[in-house]
Amino acid sequence: MEVGRAYTRVDAADKVTGRARYTDDLHDGPMLVAKILHSTIANGWVKSIDTAAARALPGVVKVLTCFDAPQIQYPTPGHPWSTDPGHQDVADRLLLTRRVRIYGDDIAVVVAEDEVTARRALKLIRVEYESCPVMLEPEQAMEPGAVPIHEEHPDNILKRTETVVGQPDEALSDPALLHFEGHYQTQQVQHCHIENPISYAYMEHGRITVVTSTQIPHIVRRVIGQALGIGWGQIRVIKPYIGGGFGNKQEVLYEPLNAWLTTQVGGRCVKLDVSREETFQNTRSRHPIRFDIKAAVSSQGRIMARECVAISNQGGYASHGHAIVANAVNGFRQTYPDAVGHRSVAYTVYTNRPAPGAMRGYGIPQCDFAGECLMEDIAREMNWDPYQFRLKNIMPLGYVDPTNGITCYSTALARCMEKGRDFIRWDELRAKYQNQTGPVRRGVGMAVFSYKTGVYPISLETASARIVLNQDGTVQLQLGATEIGQGGDTVFCQMAAQAIGLPTERVNIVSTQDTDTAPFDTGAYASRQTYVTGKAIKKAGELFREKVLSYAREMLPQAGELDLRAGEIVDGGSGESLLTLEELAMEAFYSLEHSVHITAEVTNHCKENTFAFGCCFAEVEVDIPVGKVKVLRIVNVHDSGRLINPKLAEAQVHGGMSMGIGYALSEEMKFDPATGRLLNGNLLDYKLPTAMDHPELTALFVEDEDPSGPFGNKALGEPPAIPVAPAIRNAVLHATGVAVNTLPLSPQRLVEEFRKGGLI
Amino acid sequence: MMEILRCTVNGRPVEVGIDQRESLADVLRERLGLTSVKKGCEVGECGACTVLVDGTAIDSCIYLGVWAQGKTILTVEGLQNENGELSPIQQAFVEEAAVQCGFCTPGIIMSAVEIVGSGKRYTREELRKLISGHLCRCTGYQNILNAVERAVNEAHKFVGREEQEQ
Ligand code: FES
Ligand code: FES
């Protein structure tokens, strides 16, 4: 079995020797360097820009401003194109903008012979602004009379949606039920992939090539075409290895600007070097969302109805638009289907913050924080065991979401919870930490989640795979799906090997996507690739296998039923080896009777989706006077169906847990409310957890076959980051009796809350 | 102002013209083509650019090229032995699945070379501290620690055996 093997990453050796090449490692020869001029106001207009001094600086090649850039508004999210204009992404960006919407907006750019000159030239540009009041919170932006950030949305509300399932109102006012309210707020955090989203662009044969650190090369190509108003075939996007993405690179960032710049300097190569500070300020982040929740629960502990109002802070640009908060309220509803009904109201509101977009979990880390805090708070108030209360209400097998039809084809959530409970010693420690006193106390907490796999039926799900035979009986696997650090390339090879009947060792993956040659796939997001691309690989592998066997039948007309196993053509009955794939390949390539290059290419239009599940259990120690939380032990248990590669799956979970720990305890983008300036946009002041901030991380699985997955598998990439923050929050609540409803649980916030709670 | 930098890089003497303002990271990447030296912040925060200078791990983004005059520099390109085998530290990173996107990897490996080279044994907590100058967003450091711990233990076993033989 190739699927299920703990196969060593196919790129590991290249990565430990430094031979794996990333965008900035690839260019050779002279190139120009571009640097962007960012606004020093957060809301207003550029009245004029004086570039004379900058242009006069020796070494400056070109200075371009918002007054020069094309006035074509374009969208930026990594969504598939929609053929329905009503469902197309919000097109609210320009390459350079006169209307300043965030502190640091892109208003001009210098192209110079070298970086030092480019930076010096930026300092020589004089800008005159007209400013408006800064609005960092939705409440400010929604106030009557607030200045519209985009004129298309005079009230600054990008979108409001309301979804009602069943009859929630009756239950929500039924005096026979128990009623609860909760208010929860998440913070803005950044992906902090260690490679910044760098790109370079040049022209060849009149076409534009952009080499870029992206998760979505085919979408980047399309959006460059939209932004420049040129045919999409005029653009070639190349995606080499990337140093992490986590959703930030599921967005078209500076590639359109970079593509435009090369056209402005006669096709010469221009590198757009994005600094860490620009990555924080000008690329995406995770939305702060406020949740106001009402719940009606029966005295037996069954959730009858809930209402969830979510207000998402979209910052200055639409990015993924309303999709993320819409996903958040759906996710909130799905994990615990209400017995009677549910209402969700979601707002996406423009403000002057740097625009958030997709980040590992796509709204679900936020809603899971709200949902799992709520479950804990209800259980606590009712004196129920939070474990049992959850168990009573989790999504059952066969659940069908009434709004979109997404179905629960498999669930091992209850068994995941059991495993997590045993690991943490739930019953024992819940009792032991019951009545503590003193400044240092311990607690255990838990949280669960559900997560759909890919984006069907909300968007198109399509993936293509190509398999090409080599003379020595190995194959090349070509995909539009991308390796972004998660181990995609390795599991794709395993899946192809499984489908064809080869050892994984004999599958070579073409890791780099070049949109001129890579098959079409929308890319790495929504934890979709092992599922959606996996289906394409499976079909392509089966077709390839069929073609090989058909050629084998030509070569072995006398033989009975044939099979391809471990790279050999064998007798289907006895298993006796009749021909190696190498022998067959040589014949197929060079036969004077019938020469054929055996290849297979398949597009799979995926029209299925399924839920992945999991939970986190944490034990913490809280030093109350200093507001410090130490995570002593932590475990994530996942139901992602069958694992393609258990070793990589485990590693993936570790990384997600780590991100969850930062989300819970330390990470937060902070702003100056007066100017809108980001105060901690660097890796020193933004508190990314280091090795010292981590406990040992334990990742466990329950492996059930999902009938809808290509190999019994379902989503794994994003889920590990989801349940950690609420599990830690609930553990702190258990330890101290104080419910903290705002992330992160930083020392400052905890000391405040402990004061309010009378502990200090 | 340009200046000639003479130093030893991965065991070979090097003579190269550099700008006095250039960081060692840029010298290694742009002038010598050693692109294992990654840049994640260029201000000494992330550790991706770590190389060894005379055996000591430094952030090469905040170390001037000219300071390396006469010194001995090691990057991961210099770790494979003459037969092309991975060093035990590299091997440990591969086998422990300590590599994901791989962008932090060369830098952490160079710190691991320094740690292992000290010949000492360390507790898990000490190792956490020793690699805390490196940021990794993919791994939660779990498998990285496993790899470093394994490399330290293996080196120690090896040293231990040599001691016995003497
Ligand atoms: S690039 Fe040198 S420490 Fe980050
Ligand atoms: S492996 Fe991606 S940053 Fe460490």
Side-chain angles (χ1 to χ4, degrees):
Chain A
M1 290 301 275
E2 299 306 317
V3 159
R5 265 178 90 182
Y7 195 75
T8 301
R9 281 186 79 106
V10 297
D11 51 9
D14 287 342
K15 286 178 174 174
V16 299
T17 52
R19 283 198 300 269
R21 304 234 273 166
Y22 301 73
T23 299
D24 201 19
D25 307 334
L26 282 165
H27 53 77
D28 39 24
M31 60 176 8
L32 304 173
V33 177
K35 279 274 156 201
I36 297 166
L37 183 69
H38 299 288
S39 70
T40 52
I41 63 164
N43 195 9
W45 286 265
V46 174
K47 286 177 64 185
S48 66
I49 301 191
D50 179 359
T51 60
R55 275 184 284 128
L57 190 71
V60 169
V61 176
K62 199 100 184 173
V63 182
L64 295 156
T65 74
C66 49
F67 297 97
D68 307 315
Q71 295 298 304
I72 306 173
Q73 293 196 172
Y74 62 93
T76 59
H79 292 157
W81 170 257
S82 174
T83 51
D84 170 5
H87 279 107
Q88 283 168 10
D89 292 307
V90 181
D92 69 353
R93 279 246 177 210
L94 292 171
L95 296 174
L96 298 168
T97 183
R98 293 170 63 183
R99 174 67 175 93
V100 172
R101 298 180 172 103
I102 67 164
Y103 189 100
D105 222 337
D106 309 324
I107 57 175
V109 61
V110 171
V111 182
E113 299 287 352
D114 60 79
E115 196 185 326
V116 176
T117 308
R119 283 184 190 278
R120 280 199 179 150
L122 288 183
K123 292 203 179 119
L124 298 173
I125 299 176
R126 296 282 161 261
V127 184
E128 253 190 295
Y129 298 103
E130 186 180 320
S131 317
C132 308
V134 178
M135 306 176 288
L136 296 181
E137 305 302 332
E139 295 71 34
Q140 298 169 302
M142 288 160 85
E143 243 174 50
V147 178
I149 294 171
H150 291 268
E151 57 191 22
E152 297 89 339
H153 300 277
D155 54 3
N156 287 322
I157 298 175
L158 177 62
K159 199 163 179 175
R160 176 191 183 279
T161 50
E162 182 165 345
T163 310
V164 179
V165 171
Q167 258 97 40
D169 293 325
E170 244 166 76
L172 285 167
S173 57
D174 183 350
L177 297 173
L178 306 160
H179 295 275
F180 303 90
E181 262 190 41
H183 306 277
Y184 308 101
Q185 173 78 55
T186 66
Q187 82 280 36
Q188 191 166 1
V189 295
Q190 224 271 330
H191 314 72
C192 297
H193 35 69
I194 303 301
E195 181 202 28
N196 292 316
I198 187 173
S199 62
Y200 65 92
Y202 56 92
M203 294 184 73
E204 210 171 33
H205 306 301
R207 298 167 76 222
I208 302 168
T209 298
V210 182
V211 183
T212 179
S213 177
T214 183
Q215 301 171 216
I216 49 165
H218 279 287
I219 293 176
V220 169
R221 172 163 95 146
R222 180 199 98 214
V223 174
I224 292 172
Q226 287 178 271
L228 271 54
I230 59 176
W232 304 351
Q234 298 311 301
I235 301 135
R236 174 181 173 206
V237 172
I238 297 174
K239 177 252 162 223
Y241 282 120
I242 81 170
F246 310 111
N248 199 22
K249 299 172 187 175
Q250 186 212 343
E251 176 108 357
V252 183
L253 297 168
Y254 282 123
E255 294 94 344
L257 178 62
N258 199 351
W260 181 61
L261 290 177
T262 186
T263 68
Q264 299 303 297
V265 294
R268 277 184 284 173
C269 186
V270 179
K271 171 163 125 177
L272 218 167
D273 196 352
V274 179
S275 70
R276 176 59 59 184
E277 292 72 16
E278 287 173 301
T279 300
F280 270 103
Q281 176 181 263
N282 297 94
T283 70
R284 301 293 83 79
S285 48
R286 183 182 282 154
H287 294 76
I289 303 183
R290 179 184 165 81
F291 295 88
D292 295 304
I293 299 162
K294 290 191 181 115
V297 182
S298 77
S299 53
Q300 286 82 45
R302 180 76 179 92
I303 298 171
M304 306 309 279
R306 287 170 300 166
E307 179 187 89
C308 172
V309 180
I311 301 178
S312 177
N313 187 333
Q314 186 49 60
Y317 292 95
S319 175
H320 285 245
H322 196 57
I324 289 175
V325 72
N327 201 42
V329 293
N330 279 346
F332 178 85
R333 176 170 50 75
Q334 288 159 343
T335 304
Y336 303 106
D338 310 69
V340 177
H342 191 100
R343 165 180 288 108
S344 46
V345 184
Y347 293 84
T348 297
V349 183
Y350 281 126
T351 68
N352 296 124
R353 289 197 189 210
M359 177 171 166
R360 202 174 195 171
Y362 212 76
I364 305 300
Q366 293 97 314
C367 79
D368 201 61
F369 179 71
E372 291 303 288
C373 289
L374 179 77
M375 292 303 281
E376 196 72 23
D377 295 351
I378 295 176
R380 190 174 173 84
E381 213 172 307
M382 297 310 300
N383 242 326
W384 294 330
D385 177 5
Y387 180 94
Q388 296 299 338
F389 177 46
R390 285 182 173 87
L391 197 58
K392 215 180 196 91
N393 287 287
I394 52 173
M395 183 194 299
L397 181 67
Y399 165 80
V400 180
D401 185 305
T403 68
N404 54 32
I406 300 177
T407 301
C408 176
Y409 289 113
S410 66
T411 173
L413 178 54
R415 274 175 293 142
C416 289
M417 289 168 65
E418 215 177 295
K419 254 189 164 172
R421 183 188 65 185
D422 292 348
F423 177 91
I424 214 81
R425 305 199 311 276
W426 178 259
D427 295 326
E428 176 200 331
L429 295 183
R430 286 295 286 192
K432 183 173 168 197
Y433 297 149
Q434 196 61 266
N435 299 306
Q436 297 166 86
T437 50
V440 179
R441 300 182 199 173
R442 291 184 173 192
V444 286
M446 67 172 291
V448 311
F449 71 89
S450 65
Y451 197 78
K452 62 189 172 52
T453 305
V455 300
Y456 179 81
I458 293 125
S459 286
L460 168 70
E461 272 300 7
T462 184
S464 304
R466 184 186 300 141
I467 297 169
V468 174
L469 181 63
N470 295 323
Q471 286 89 336
D472 62 353
T474 60
V475 300
Q476 238 82 277
L477 176 61
Q478 301 177 19
L479 300 170
T482 55
E483 166 67 60
I484 62 168
Q486 82 284 44
D489 279 357
T490 307
V491 297
F492 297 146
C493 289
Q494 291 179 261
M495 292 192 276
Q498 175 83 28
I500 298 167
L502 278 179
T504 304
E505 286 78 356
R506 286 165 70 174
V507 180
N508 310 312
I509 189 145
V510 180
S511 185
T512 297
Q513 278 69 41
D514 173 338
T515 54
D516 273 5
T517 52
F520 187 77
D521 191 307
T522 46
Y525 56 86
S527 304
R528 62 182 285 280
Q529 291 188 148
T530 48
Y531 189 81
V532 178
T533 309
K535 289 176 190 244
I537 294 171
K538 188 177 183 185
K539 283 188 182 173
E542 286 164 356
L543 177 62
F544 181 84
R545 171 191 173 82
E546 228 357 275
K547 289 186 172 184
V548 166
L549 289 175
S550 136
Y551 200 87
R553 281 192 287 271
E554 278 181 43
M555 287 175 72
L556 303 166
Q558 312 301 333
E561 202 192 317
L562 297 177
D563 198 3
L564 175 55
R565 291 184 201 154
E568 307 221 332
I569 313 295
V570 301
D571 181 281
S574 68
E576 183 202 344
S577 173
L578 304 173
L579 194 65
T580 65
L581 190 53
E582 181 175 3
E583 288 162 342
L584 181 143
M586 288 302 283
E587 186 69 18
F589 267 90
Y590 303 111
S591 162
L592 295 173
E593 268 78 59
H594 177 201
S595 166
V596 55
H597 186 198
I598 298 178
T599 65
E601 181 159 357
V602 169
T603 296
N604 181 60
H605 183 176
C606 174
K607 294 184 181 174
E608 297 90 35
N609 200 325
T610 189
F611 289 102
F613 298 93
C615 57
C616 175
F617 285 75
E619 181 185 2
V620 302
E621 183 174 274
V622 189
D623 188 337
I624 294 169
V626 294
K628 189 109 186 77
V629 176
K630 189 168 179 202
V631 181
L632 301 173
R633 291 189 306 137
I634 191 162
V635 63
N636 264 27
V637 193
H638 287 268
D639 163 21
S640 290
R642 199 163 145 206
L643 301 177
I644 311 296
N645 185 320
K647 188 88 184 153
L648 296 194
E650 188 188 24
Q652 181 78 346
V653 174
H654 293 156
M657 292 173 76
S658 164
M659 217 175 236
I661 289 171
Y663 195 45
L665 296 176
S666 62
E667 292 181 41
E668 179 172 27
M669 293 166 72
K670 296 189 176 191
F671 299 90
D672 173 10
T675 60
R677 195 168 70 87
L678 177 61
L679 296 172
N680 59 345
N682 59 67
L683 291 173
L684 186 65
D685 298 316
Y686 181 89
K687 295 302 177 193
L688 200 65
T690 71
M692 291 178 76
D693 303 310
H694 285 71
E696 293 296 315
L697 304 174
T698 303
L700 302 175
F701 298 90
V702 177
E703 278 195 69
D704 274 6
E705 186 94 14
D706 185 278
S708 74
F711 300 93
N713 57 301
K714 46 189 185 178
L716 176 63
E718 296 159 283
I722 296 169
V724 177
I728 291 175
R729 178 269 189 191
N730 291 339
V732 171
L733 169 59
H734 184 228
T736 63
V738 175
V740 185
N741 296 337
T742 304
L743 283 174
L745 277 65
S746 58
Q748 296 91 321
R749 175 159 296 119
L750 286 180
V751 166
E752 262 171 49
E753 295 286 338
F754 293 155
R755 276 215 181 104
K756 272 193 245 160
L759 293 184
I760 310 182
Chain B
M1 272 285 288
M2 296 295 282
E3 189 171 305
I4 302 288
L5 169 67
R6 291 187 185 81
C7 56
T8 304
V9 179
N10 295 334
R12 299 177 60 163
V14 163
E15 201 175 290
V16 59
I18 66 167
D19 187 313
Q20 284 179 337
R21 300 167 299 185
E22 237 168 86
S23 68
L24 179 60
D26 282 342
V27 172
L28 295 170
R29 286 181 56 83
E30 308 296 333
R31 305 218 183 250
L32 302 176
L34 298 169
T35 54
S36 77
V37 182
K38 299 297 182 219
K39 296 196 287 186
C41 69
E42 294 195 74
V43 284
E45 293 161 355
C46 73
C49 61
T50 302
V51 302
L52 298 192
V53 175
D54 288 345
T56 303
I58 55 112
D59 290 331
S60 65
C61 69
I62 48 169
Y63 187 101
L64 281 176
V66 293
W67 293 346
Q69 201 63 259
K71 298 210 155 62
T72 297
I73 294 154
L74 188 63
T75 72
V76 292
E77 283 93 341
L79 292 184
Q80 283 169 278
N81 69 14
E82 59 275 17
N83 301 323
E85 287 157 357
L86 298 180
S87 71
I89 296 170
Q90 290 170 308
Q91 194 60 37
F93 270 69
V94 170
E95 284 169 17
E96 293 295 331
V99 179
Q100 291 194 38
C101 80
F103 207 75
C104 69
T105 308
I108 303 191
I109 288 181
M110 293 320 295
S111 279
V113 172
E114 186 190 38
I115 294 166
V116 171
S118 74
K120 292 191 205 132
R121 290 202 107 138
Y122 299 94
T123 64
R124 192 89 170 169
E125 279 314 300
E126 287 167 336
L127 288 178
R128 283 188 186 278
K129 188 163 186 184
L130 285 169
I131 65 158
S132 65
H134 293 274
L135 295 175
C136 171
R137 192 53 146 170
C138 302
T139 64
Y141 310 97
Q142 183 71 22
N143 290 352
I144 290 176
L145 280 159
N146 292 346
V148 176
E149 194 169 42
R150 171 170 162 178
V152 167
N153 288 344
E154 274 173 11
H156 202 81
K157 251 190 273 162
F158 186 63
V159 173
R161 200 168 44 234
E162 273 195 337
E163 279 165 3
Q164 266 179 10
E165 280 167 8
Q166 279 168 3

